[in-house]
Amino acid sequence: MYHEYDWSLNYNMPLDDWPVDIAQEALVLNGDTMGSPKGRQPPLQYEEEWRSLLKEGIDLCDLRKKALEGGLRAARFRSIAWKLLLGALTPGLPDTWLSQVESDRNHYLTLKSKLRVSPIGSAEPQSDNPLSQDEQSTWHQFFCDRDLQALIKQDVVRTFPGVDFFRGEHVQEIMINILFAYAREYPAMCYRQGMHEVLAPVVFVVHCDQQALLHTQEQSQVSSEIVTVLDPKYLEADSYTLFRRIMNAIEGSYLIPNMAPTSTGYFPANMKTTMNNTENQVVAQLNWIKEVLLAPNDPQLFQHLEKLDIPLQLFGIRWLRLLFGREFPLQDLLVLWDAIFADSSSFDLVNYIVVSMLVAIRSSLLKSDYTNCLTQLMRYPGSMDISIIIDYALYLKAPSKFSPPPKMVPPKVLVSTDEKNERAHYHRRKQVTLRRNQKAVSEETIGFTVPERVQSNQFSSSEIVDGFKTNDGLMNDLLNAYTVMSLCRLKLSQYHSVLEDAVPPNHIEAQQALTGIHELCSLLKVQKVVRVEKGTEANEVVQKKPERKPSVDMTVFKHITTPIKETSPT
């Protein structure tokens, strides 16, 4: 989705006076690829922007910071910045950039040349003819390629139908060539619907950078290095370089477990028995986002979606596969991609962006029924401030490093009436416990490491409870543990009661799950307080605090493939 402007009516000013990013978008989206507002980007400033990229260190600290803060919105070398962030150019070694650009272009041109199959004039017309079904047949490959290109074209011609830039036959031909070459170079991925929408912004960015070069050349001379790396003749090859690296990071969202595409690129197709993973990777990723990120950060919204039976897969698969391409206007989308690329090469930030987008519209979602809620998620409000969404996603990922945006304070956790009553019960129990001076808490039951006990004669009776200081934080920790355990037991009991009536008796696996829930309820039951005898108090064994499980490795959602080869195909 792009800016829904009527460019000539909404801006009653000369194009020369428009903001830089809006002016460039207006030119390209309305088909004016050569017109140039005079003085829009001074040549001196253009060269300075290029030199700033040359000075970047190997860790790209300045570029990453600039990208995360939205500083590339009006950049004239965004495609070069993306190449640095995605590893297509080596940071800190600008002397190697020209050779790397040439290598990538030769790689694509060689691949494209290799994929040209001409069956006419076959050396063996008897065995290799248009009716041959042999997979090694030139004619068979020719027809398969033609079918795949026709399949790709069906999607490409529908790319952003309201944008003139993508209506041009030349641009559509470039996109078809790139997607076909990618499908043949990476046969396990082949072509899947949605890839054309990932490619479209890439072609747009490369084209804009090349047009900015042409505009600057009209005013002054530009260094030969810039002319080489942004040569408009290589729009297709340079776009392919970026596209395949983006796809390498998000391919887990497109792969279908235990399936391989046919030679024409259709799914489903041949089953592969060698793959052990039977769960769709994008589904597993969305489940992880829901359980690990959304549930603890906004339990109320999590429960609301669960109550309405709206799984993240209904809208999240499209969000992840298209990298949010349909959810935001073009310029906002590019700023979002800047942040995703700058954060990490594995695009981990997308998981937190999903949660940030949900929290950004939480007040509206919580007031909506199933239909309205799903409508908002399928047609995400385009008026949202993209910088706030990025900032909150960064905060969720690294709260010690980033602060939440003022307009998006972490939501307060709201509890139900039953939970409030349960907490009140344990607050009363706490007061009763504090008045008892002869009881001790069983360390074995609670599982916490107990600090050294103090002598009761050193304090008044009101300051000692069961051998602990009343102002010691351990008592609060123990009582909090009681509360959490009881709340978990209460919720599990409620779930058990609901599912017990709904699950049929002949569903063995479901009945086993119900039994497991019941066992968990029994384990979470708070044990009766045990008195600790004074004679054995000196021989108590202090238990170690249970080890915390490591956080989920996000690489489980990334399909491990052979690294991108930079050499020309043979």
Side-chain angles (χ1 to χ4, degrees):
M1 180 179 178
Y2 291 79
H3 285 306
E4 297 179 354
Y5 299 146
D6 181 300
W7 299 102
S8 60
L9 296 179
N10 286 344
Y11 285 87
N12 297 318
M13 64 179 71
L15 187 61
D16 294 349
D17 298 331
W18 288 11
V20 174
D21 57 325
I22 300 299
Q24 179 168 336
E25 184 179 357
L27 288 170
V28 177
L29 297 186
N30 288 278
D32 183 0
T33 59
M34 297 302 295
S36 172
K38 297 180 180 180
R40 195 175 67 242
Q41 181 75 8
L44 181 60
Q45 184 180 349
Y46 186 82
E47 292 282 353
E48 289 177 354
E49 186 177 340
W50 169 255
R51 285 193 292 269
S52 67
L53 292 176
L54 297 178
K55 295 177 182 178
E56 285 288 342
I58 192 171
D59 52 0
L60 297 174
C61 286
D62 293 339
L63 179 60
R64 294 184 190 277
K65 183 175 182 296
K66 188 176 181 180
L68 291 175
E69 294 176 352
L72 299 181
R73 180 180 286 271
R76 289 298 173 266
F77 296 96
R78 186 180 241 141
S79 63
I80 305 301
W82 283 7
K83 284 186 177 182
L84 287 168
L85 296 171
L86 296 174
L89 295 177
T90 303
L93 297 175
D95 294 339
T96 64
W97 290 2
L98 294 182
S99 60
Q100 289 175 324
V101 169
E102 182 180 2
S103 176
D104 286 334
R105 289 170 176 173
N106 290 336
H107 171 84
Y108 178 73
L109 295 177
T110 304
L111 174 64
K112 187 177 178 181
S113 176
K114 179 184 176 182
L115 295 177
R116 291 194 184 98
V117 177
S118 179
I120 301 176
S122 174
E124 300 179 2
Q126 298 298 327
S127 57
D128 191 0
N129 55 71
L131 299 179
S132 176
Q133 296 299 315
D134 186 1
E135 292 186 358
Q136 303 300 323
S137 169
T138 306
W139 278 100
H140 178 72
Q141 185 64 50
F142 172 77
F143 288 123
C144 287
D145 291 348
R146 189 178 65 176
D147 291 344
L148 178 56
Q149 289 172 333
L151 177 67
I152 295 173
K153 185 177 181 179
Q154 291 178 3
D155 292 335
V156 168
V157 296
R158 297 196 299 264
T159 304
F160 301 112
V163 180
D164 291 340
F165 175 72
F166 295 105
R167 303 281 65 77
E169 294 184 2
H170 177 62
V171 174
Q172 292 181 358
E173 181 181 0
I174 287 175
M175 295 181 64
I176 293 172
N177 292 340
I178 292 175
L179 293 170
F180 174 73
Y182 178 82
R184 288 298 182 238
E185 185 175 12
Y186 301 95
M189 291 287 291
C190 199
Y191 171 76
R192 297 291 308 281
Q193 190 174 38
M195 291 182 180
H196 65 294
E197 297 195 48
V198 177
L199 173 61
V202 174
V203 176
F204 176 81
V205 167
V206 175
H207 175 80
C208 286
D209 286 359
Q210 292 175 350
Q211 293 304 307
L213 169 63
L214 295 177
H215 300 333
T216 306
Q217 284 180 317
E218 293 176 358
Q219 304 172 45
S220 65
Q221 187 175 0
V222 182
S223 64
S224 59
E225 292 84 0
I226 300 178
V227 174
T228 301
V229 298
L230 293 179
D231 192 339
K233 294 187 301 183
Y234 296 100
L235 171 61
E236 189 173 316
D238 291 346
S239 298
Y240 182 80
T241 299
L242 286 171
F243 174 71
R244 66 174 180 147
R245 289 183 177 274
I246 294 174
M247 289 304 305
N248 186 60
I250 65 172
E251 62 181 2
S253 299
Y254 284 90
L255 286 171
I256 300 179
N258 302 327
M259 286 188 181
T262 62
S263 54
T264 55
Y266 284 96
F267 287 91
N270 306 323
M271 298 297 295
K272 294 173 64 178
T273 58
T274 57
M275 295 183 65
N276 296 324
N277 182 21
T278 58
E279 184 179 14
N280 194 311
Q281 294 186 38
V282 68
V283 174
Q285 183 176 356
L286 288 168
N287 287 335
W288 186 89
I289 293 172
K290 179 182 69 173
E291 300 294 340
V292 179
L293 298 183
L294 178 60
N297 285 287
D298 196 337
Q300 186 182 15
L301 180 57
F302 169 79
Q303 293 173 4
H304 181 67
L305 296 177
E306 289 283 295
K307 181 180 179 180
L308 296 181
D309 193 19
I310 299 180
L312 265 62
Q313 289 86 337
L314 286 179
F315 55 91
I317 291 178
R318 188 187 72 187
W319 287 11
L320 296 182
R321 282 182 175 174
L322 305 186
L323 273 181
F324 315 102
R326 291 187 187 176
E327 319 312 320
F328 300 101
L330 174 62
Q331 291 298 330
D332 287 348
L333 176 65
L334 299 183
V335 172
L336 184 65
W337 282 21
D338 293 339
I340 293 173
F341 300 163
D343 178 70
S344 69
S345 59
S346 57
F347 294 7
D348 292 341
L349 190 63
V350 299
N351 303 296
Y352 300 88
I353 290 174
V354 171
V355 178
S356 181
M357 290 172 62
L358 293 174
V359 176
I361 58 173
R362 70 183 305 272
S363 59
S364 179
L365 293 176
L366 292 175
K367 299 176 183 177
S368 303
D369 57 10
Y370 177 88
T371 302
N372 293 331
C373 193
L374 190 59
T375 299
Q376 294 181 70
L377 295 171
M378 297 299 292
R379 297 181 179 179
Y380 194 79
S383 60
M384 301 302 299
D385 189 338
I386 194 64
S387 62
I388 293 179
I389 291 178
I390 293 174
D391 290 345
Y392 191 68
L394 292 171
Y395 166 75
L396 290 176
K397 185 178 181 183
S400 61
K401 185 177 179 182
F402 298 96
S403 300
K407 295 183 180 180
M408 212 163 161
V409 179
K412 297 180 180 179
V413 179
L414 303 179
V415 296
S416 63
T417 303
D418 292 339
E419 291 172 334
K420 290 181 179 179
N421 293 336
E422 192 71 20
R423 291 185 182 182
H425 168 72
Y426 279 98
H427 280 301
R428 291 192 298 269
R429 181 172 179 174
K430 175 181 177 181
Q431 298 300 324
V432 174
T433 304
L434 290 175
R435 291 193 295 267
R436 295 176 181 176
N437 298 327
Q438 303 299 325
K439 291 184 180 287
V441 181
S442 172
E443 297 176 16
E444 182 178 359
T445 302
I446 302 302
F448 283 89
T449 301
V450 180
E452 182 180 359
R453 294 176 182 268
V454 297
Q455 299 296 328
S456 60
N457 58 3
Q458 297 177 358
F459 301 89
S460 62
S461 60
S462 62
E463 294 177 312
I464 295 295
V465 178
D466 298 337
F468 295 98
K469 297 179 182 179
T470 54
N471 59 356
D472 198 321
L474 180 61
M475 288 299 299
N476 292 330
D477 292 339
L478 295 177
L479 292 170
N480 288 338
Y482 279 141
T483 303
V484 172
M485 293 167 62
S486 299
L487 290 176
C488 291
R489 183 172 180 269
L490 174 63
K491 301 301 291 186
L492 286 174
S493 299
Q494 294 174 351
Y495 298 153
H496 184 275
S497 300
V498 174
L499 294 175
E500 189 175 22
D501 297 333
V503 174
N506 59 348
H507 199 306
I508 300 177
E509 294 182 353
Q511 290 294 335
Q512 291 176 345
L514 287 174
T515 302
I517 294 176
H518 182 72
E519 292 175 353
L520 286 174
C521 292
S522 300
L523 292 174
L524 290 172
K525 185 177 182 180
V526 179
Q527 302 295 326
K528 186 176 181 180
V529 177
V530 179
R531 183 187 300 275
V532 179
E533 299 295 337
K534 295 182 180 180
T536 61
E537 194 170 1
N539 296 325
E540 290 177 337
V541 179
V542 178
Q543 294 184 348
K544 295 182 178 180
K545 185 182 294 186
E547 295 183 1
R548 183 181 178 183
K549 294 183 179 180
S551 59
V552 177
D553 185 4
M554 287 305 299
T555 57
V556 300
F557 304 127
K558 308 295 180 185
H559 179 69
I560 301 176
T561 59
T562 305
I564 294 177
K565 297 180 180 180
E566 304 299 340
T567 57
S568 300
T570 56

